[in-house]
Amino acid sequence: MNRRTLIGYLVLAFCLLPAWAVKSATTQSRISWTGAILFFAFIVIVGSLVRNATSPESLPGPDFRRYQPFFMLAVGLSFLAAELLAIAFTYAESGVGLAGRAGVVISQIGSTHIPVVSKYATAMEPPLSPTSLFRVQSIVTVFMIAGLLTSIAYILLYWKMSVSERLQLYQWGRQKRPSNALVFGSFTFALLMALAAIFGGSEFGEPTPKFCLVQAVCYARGDDLLVFAAALAKVVAVFGFPLGAFALYDANRVLPDSNSANL
């Protein structure tokens, strides 16, 4: 078994862990989480096989090869720590024991710096119980911190790469130059999604079962896995979409226009 395969198995196990480690979740939620992770793993494997068949084996650029392992390590450790802490918070009581005290500190950080986290305590009708409030504030905050650390690692990786190396990377991935309209639309969408996730948007209105993951009045009263999924959805909205929009902007700026390249 080579190193990449071993890492893949470890990442899969890490992603499956919450399904069976959290304190409170229905059997249906545990099975749904497992099924979703396996489905995404299948998509990643297929995508990896396609890329290996159509792209050169070696990664482009010395700086990218040098710093990519550190980037992946930062991402892995950030979310591993967040996951283990979040699992511990599902068993902890606010202010009781090491996990309980850590959860209080993290919840206070979230309440101070993330508007939606503070709203869990002020905008819920009827108000959350102390146990539910501690759980949702601590879990959402710890995953948001992991998203922030990952974003910083991504920016540092980008900063270490030259323009020519980024061009090589985009060409290695067979990426075409995105249009100006696509870049503008992606930035607008990412900004709106990030602001809605940070400030709560319409999360505190009347609940709609079909959109439970983006409605605090639904997921905050749900089981532990539902809170996990909602927290990860916020990470994608606040950090994933803006980083994706930035990547499109950089590709638009670095890659040559297809029409001019053919001249």
Side-chain angles (χ1 to χ4, degrees):
M1 181 184 299
N2 59 40
R3 187 178 65 175
R4 292 184 62 182
T5 302
L6 177 60
I7 292 174
Y9 280 125
L10 291 176
V11 171
L12 179 60
F14 152 71
C15 293
L16 289 172
L17 180 62
W20 311 105
V22 296
K23 179 181 179 181
S24 174
T26 64
T27 301
Q28 181 180 356
S29 291
R30 297 180 194 275
I31 293 174
S32 297
W33 181 283
T34 302
I37 294 300
L38 293 178
F39 172 76
F40 283 117
F42 173 76
I43 297 297
V44 169
I45 291 172
V46 172
S48 178
L49 291 174
V50 171
R51 169 164 289 184
N52 289 339
T54 58
S55 300
E57 291 185 3
S58 60
L59 295 174
D63 289 331
F64 183 77
R65 290 195 298 270
R66 182 182 302 117
Y67 294 110
Q68 189 210 27
F70 295 103
F71 168 72
M72 300 303 295
L73 182 63
V75 174
L77 291 179
S78 296
F79 278 97
L80 176 60
E83 179 183 271
L84 295 178
L85 283 171
I87 291 172
F89 295 153
T90 66
Y91 292 89
E93 295 181 21
S94 178
V96 179
L98 181 61
R101 292 193 293 272
V104 169
V105 173
I106 290 174
S107 298
Q108 290 174 344
I109 292 173
S111 297
T112 302
H113 299 286
I114 309 173
V116 69
V117 175
S118 65
K119 286 186 177 180
Y120 294 136
T122 60
M124 298 288 289
E125 288 296 336
L128 292 172
S129 67
T131 299
S132 296
L133 180 62
F134 167 78
R135 181 189 60 160
V136 70
Q137 285 187 325
S138 59
I139 290 175
V140 170
T141 302
V142 78
F143 276 114
M144 292 288 275
I145 292 173
L148 175 61
L149 295 176
T150 295
S151 299
I152 293 173
Y154 177 87
I155 293 170
L156 290 175
L157 176 64
Y158 168 85
W159 178 66
K160 287 293 184 179
M161 295 170 61
S162 65
V163 173
S164 60
E165 191 164 352
R166 297 202 307 276
L167 174 60
Q168 289 179 333
L169 181 62
Y170 295 135
Q171 292 174 335
W172 174 81
R174 297 185 179 275
Q175 183 172 344
K176 295 182 179 180
R177 182 177 184 269
S179 66
N180 294 335
L182 178 60
V183 172
F184 177 77
S186 66
F187 263 111
T188 303
F189 174 78
L191 178 61
L192 293 176
M193 292 296 293
L195 290 176
I198 291 173
F199 290 96
S202 59
E203 287 192 37
F204 299 92
E206 291 296 323
T208 304
K210 290 183 179 180
F211 302 99
C212 188
L213 288 182
V214 293
Q215 293 185 318
V217 290
C218 180
Y219 66 75
R221 303 184 196 278
D223 62 32
D224 295 334
L225 287 177
L226 190 57
V227 177
F228 272 55
L232 290 172
K234 284 192 175 298
V235 171
V236 172
V238 175
F239 301 105
F241 289 147
L243 289 178
F246 176 77
L248 285 177
Y249 164 75
D250 188 57
N252 172 271
R253 190 167 63 92
V254 171
L255 286 169
D257 184 79
S258 57
N259 294 327
S260 61
N262 294 330
L263 294 178

